Amino acid sequence: MFGRNVSTSLLREDVMRCMEMREIGSRQILVYMGYLYKYLKETNRAEYVSFVDPNKIPATQDGSTSSQHIANQLKASNGDSICLIPYNTGYHWILTVINEDKDTIYLLDSMGNRNRDNAWKTTVCNGVRTYLCMRGNPKRPTFKQLTGNLKQQGCVECGYCVMQYMKEIVECEDLQLERKFAGCVKNQYYTQT
């Protein structure tokens, strides 16, 4: 799934967190990504979507290590695939999606239309730009925040929303994200139900 072997375990506590809809971490998201990858392989669509391991995105002050990791992941993926990057800002999960042409970066945030983490935006843009330069294309990628997605009502649903966004993208035959997540969704919240 990431171009290398990854082993992770869910503890009983991790399962209970999901059942009780408490705050989740990267282990739960990583296992869910494995489920989605298995689904993609079973439907012969694994080459259309690639994933970035959220545990391998180092939190550095300047972001250069993270940018290089993103560039390396894009290089290892199929050039015609979209890339899903779940990222925890330290207190909140967001989903970053890089389109198949690697020139547009989308952000899905369950807290609405407010990109409060400009450092992450810069890190991802630099990673995509590094990848494009490696391919001989010095183009600067564009960054768009998509707003037509499920929101969180409380303070712990962000990880669940990120998993839902990934599921919707993986199950979608037409990967036109701007059309899929267009507009503004009102009163649609991720709930335990």
Side-chain angles (χ1 to χ4, degrees):
M1 183 166 76
F2 305 120
R4 60 184 167 71
N5 288 332
V6 174
S7 177
T8 190
S9 305
L10 277 181
L11 306 174
R12 182 176 190 277
E13 171 66 19
D14 295 328
V15 175
M16 293 304 296
R17 283 184 167 281
C18 287
M19 291 176 63
E20 296 169 357
M21 200 167 170
R22 293 185 289 159
E23 185 176 357
I24 60 171
S26 60
R27 274 197 311 258
Q28 291 94 340
I29 290 176
L30 194 61
V31 169
Y32 193 71
M33 289 166 69
Y35 161 76
L36 293 175
Y37 183 71
K38 183 178 176 186
Y39 168 81
L40 286 167
K41 285 190 74 87
E42 289 171 355
T43 58
N44 296 319
R45 295 179 56 237
E47 68 273 6
Y48 298 116
V49 180
S50 62
F51 299 90
V52 173
D53 184 347
N55 291 326
K56 295 296 180 184
I57 300 174
T60 59
Q61 204 72 17
D62 65 1
S64 62
T65 306
S66 298
S67 294
Q68 188 59 52
H69 178 69
I70 290 168
N72 292 341
Q73 284 294 132
L74 292 173
K75 186 178 175 185
S77 71
N78 179 352
D80 295 332
S81 67
I82 62 167
C83 186
L84 304 178
I85 309 171
Y87 177 70
N88 193 310
T89 63
Y91 51 87
H92 179 63
W93 284 100
I94 57 177
L95 180 65
T96 305
V97 183
I98 302 171
N99 77 339
E100 63 275 0
D101 296 325
K102 310 300 187 256
D103 61 357
T104 307
I105 301 162
Y106 300 104
L107 180 71
L108 290 160
D109 185 349
S110 60
M111 294 291 282
N113 189 15
R114 56 185 187 96
N115 182 10
R116 53 187 176 183
D117 196 342
N118 285 327
W120 175 243
K121 176 182 172 182
T122 302
T123 298
V124 175
C125 286
N126 287 342
V128 172
R129 192 163 186 209
T130 300
Y131 166 76
L132 291 173
C133 286
M134 286 190 292
R135 302 209 39 171
N137 180 1
K139 184 176 181 180
R140 182 176 292 276
T142 58
F143 191 90
K144 297 180 181 180
Q145 183 146 1
L146 301 175
T147 58
N149 52 306
L150 281 175
K151 306 296 184 242
Q152 67 183 78
Q153 201 165 21
C155 60
V156 298
E157 297 93 345
C158 56
Y160 300 97
C161 288
V162 163
M163 291 192 297
Q164 180 67 31
Y165 304 153
M166 288 191 295
K167 179 181 184 284
E168 289 178 21
I169 291 168
V170 162
E171 289 178 344
C172 185
E173 296 286 331
D174 175 19
L175 294 174
Q176 299 296 319
L177 299 179
E178 288 183 55
R179 187 174 23 196
K180 178 163 186 53
F181 296 106
C184 185
V185 176
K186 294 196 184 292
N187 300 324
Q188 284 191 330
Y189 299 104
Y190 192 96
T191 64
Q192 189 167 10
T193 305

